[in-house]
Amino acid sequence: MPISMRPTQALRLWQQVALSEVQGNMPDLSMRQMAILLTVYLDPPPHTVRGLAGQLGVTKPVITRALDTMGALNLVTRHRDEQDRRNVLVRRTVEGALYVERFGDAIIAGARELPI
């Protein structure tokens, strides 16, 4: 079922979710980091640094820096692809899955609070 929203409602939802993330005790990620994280968790694997760079239209070093931060937070891990050692695989973690699920819950909660 499609959701219908006016632009101001969509922006209010985005604001509410952003505020809850900043005020919460969970790490707040940059837009780029969140785009990478959601790609890893919502799109089917395998995910590689090279593939993510191509998909997001950025360089591999940009992806590597974002993954460094997310790896330190245990939201993703990286491993060398044993079948093609040139590739670095990006894998999901339990902590990352919980983070993404909680973020989705925050969006749902914010949408419920929107005026009609």
Side-chain angles (χ1 to χ4, degrees), residues 24-107:
N25 62 354
M26 300 296 288
D28 53 313
L29 302 178
S30 71
M31 291 285 280
R32 178 174 288 140
Q33 291 165 342
M34 186 59 80
I36 293 167
L37 187 68
L38 292 175
T39 299
V40 168
Y41 280 87
L42 297 178
D43 294 349
H47 300 284
T48 63
V49 170
R50 179 182 303 137
L52 289 168
Q55 191 171 356
L56 275 75
V58 297
T59 63
K60 290 190 299 183
V62 167
I63 298 295
T64 298
R65 283 191 301 274
L67 292 175
D68 287 344
T69 299
M70 291 186 291
L73 297 169
N74 205 24
L75 299 176
V76 295
T77 61
R78 285 178 284 186
H79 303 279
R80 186 69 58 187
D81 184 348
E82 292 302 321
Q83 296 177 357
D84 184 348
R85 303 225 14 107
R86 296 172 297 174
N87 288 328
V88 176
L89 296 172
V90 180
R91 295 189 180 143
R92 303 167 181 166
T93 65
V94 172
E95 291 86 349
L98 292 172
Y99 182 93
V100 170
E101 184 176 344
R102 187 201 51 75
F103 189 75
D105 289 342
I107 294 169

